[in-house]
Amino acid sequence: MWAHAERFGMPSPPKKIIATGGASANHCILSAIASIFGCDVYTVQRPDSASLGAALRAAHGWLCNKKGGFLPISDMYMHKLEKTSLSCKLSVSAGDQELVSKYATLMNKRIEIENQLVQKLGRC
């Protein structure tokens, strides 16, 4: 999860994660995310809000295109959260930093192996 999140531009480590979708109602999954990323995990009002996240990403892309460059996604909702279904609550506090450090070591090794395989075998 961490390696793929870094590849699509998520800051490392993130300040917080907002979990959406059906799995956001599963405390075990939220705890694993908090442990892996080492940050607090929040959930939105509705556990079935994955489509909301997709719509927000689309709106963010449209806004960046309209403005002619990248804008932080927070520009879309700053000072407006309480009036939307984006308001969040803390579900799980950040994981143990020692575990996060161990996971980071494993993640870096995994990326190294993956890159070697891509060089050897090519991309599908």
Side-chain angles (χ1 to χ4, degrees):
M1 284 190 287
W2 189 352
H4 292 293
E6 278 187 358
R7 285 191 178 134
F8 72 73
M10 190 164 109
S12 180
K15 294 179 185 173
K16 68 179 177 181
I17 291 178
I18 301 171
T20 63
S24 67
N26 185 318
H27 188 76
C28 290
I29 291 173
L30 298 177
S31 294
I33 292 169
S35 294
I36 289 168
F37 288 96
C39 67
D40 293 342
V41 177
Y42 292 78
T43 54
V44 293
Q45 294 174 13
R46 298 176 47 103
D48 61 343
S49 61
S51 58
L52 174 62
L56 283 171
R57 294 302 301 163
H60 179 240
W62 177 85
L63 182 62
C64 290
N65 185 52
K66 181 179 177 187
K67 298 291 183 177
F70 179 79
L71 295 170
I73 196 166
S74 59
D75 285 3
M76 294 175 41
Y77 57 81
M78 194 62 71
H79 309 297
K80 302 172 192 166
L81 286 178
E82 292 74 29
K83 299 175 187 174
T84 71
S85 60
L86 294 174
S87 59
C88 307
K89 67 174 183 153
L90 177 64
S91 294
V92 180
S93 295
D96 176 1
Q97 290 307 308
E98 184 177 338
L99 181 60
V100 171
S101 177
K102 287 178 183 178
Y103 186 82
T105 301
L106 292 172
M107 180 200 66
N108 289 329
K109 186 63 177 173
R110 181 195 168 277
I111 290 172
E112 179 184 320
I113 293 168
E114 184 178 298
N115 289 337
Q116 289 172 356
L117 287 171
V118 168
Q119 283 182 334
K120 182 178 180 180
L121 303 173
R123 296 197 182 269
C124 296

